[in-house]
Each structure stands twice: as structure tokens, then as C-alpha cells.
């Protein structure tokens, strides 16, 4: 059996990139895929929290 390790920070960064550069439909598809991979629970919510913080930081840095 093969094993993979997921880095929540990198997944959150990918979520931010998807949000910024994909259409709404493409972004929803990316989020659905991520949800299937990690499960739609605590881990997914943690990734969303990290992504929200990253977006907020980027907005603050643009000012």
C-alpha cells in the first residue's frame, strides 16, 4: 500500500490560488476534490481557516 503525506499549509495555498485564478465553477470543483481527499470534516475546516488567513494577509499587504 502506498502512503502520501498531506501538508495543510500547501493545501491551503493551493486553495487560495484556485480562488484567485479559477472561475467560480472551477474553484467549486477544486474544493469538491479537496473535500473528497481529506474528508469534509475537521481537517477540511482547518485548511479553510488557513486559506482565509492567507487571503486576509495578502489583502493587507496590498494596501
Amino acid at each position: 500500500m502506498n502512503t502520501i503525506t498531506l501538508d495543510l499549509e500547501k493545501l491551503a495555498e493551493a486553495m487560495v490560488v484556485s480562488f484567485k485564478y479559477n472561475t467560480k465553477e472551477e474553484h467549486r470543483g477544486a474544493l469538491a476534490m479537496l473535500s473528497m481527499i481529506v474528508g469534509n470534516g475537521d481537517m477540511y475546516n482547518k485548511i479553510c481557516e488557513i486559506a482565509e488567513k492567507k487571503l486576509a494577509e495578502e489583502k493587507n499587504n496590498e494596501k
Side-chain angles (χ1 to χ4, degrees), residues 2-43:
N2 294 330
T3 302
I4 61 170
T5 302
L6 300 174
D7 181 329
L8 300 185
E9 290 283 330
K10 288 185 179 183
L11 291 173
E13 288 173 14
M15 186 182 282
V16 169
V17 169
S18 173
F19 174 76
K20 289 169 58 176
Y21 298 107
N22 286 334
T23 65
K24 287 184 181 183
E25 188 174 292
E26 290 169 332
H27 182 58
R28 280 190 224 120
L31 294 180
M33 176 78 71
L34 180 60
S35 177
M36 281 193 312
I37 292 169
V38 300
N40 197 5
D42 291 338
M43 187 162 314

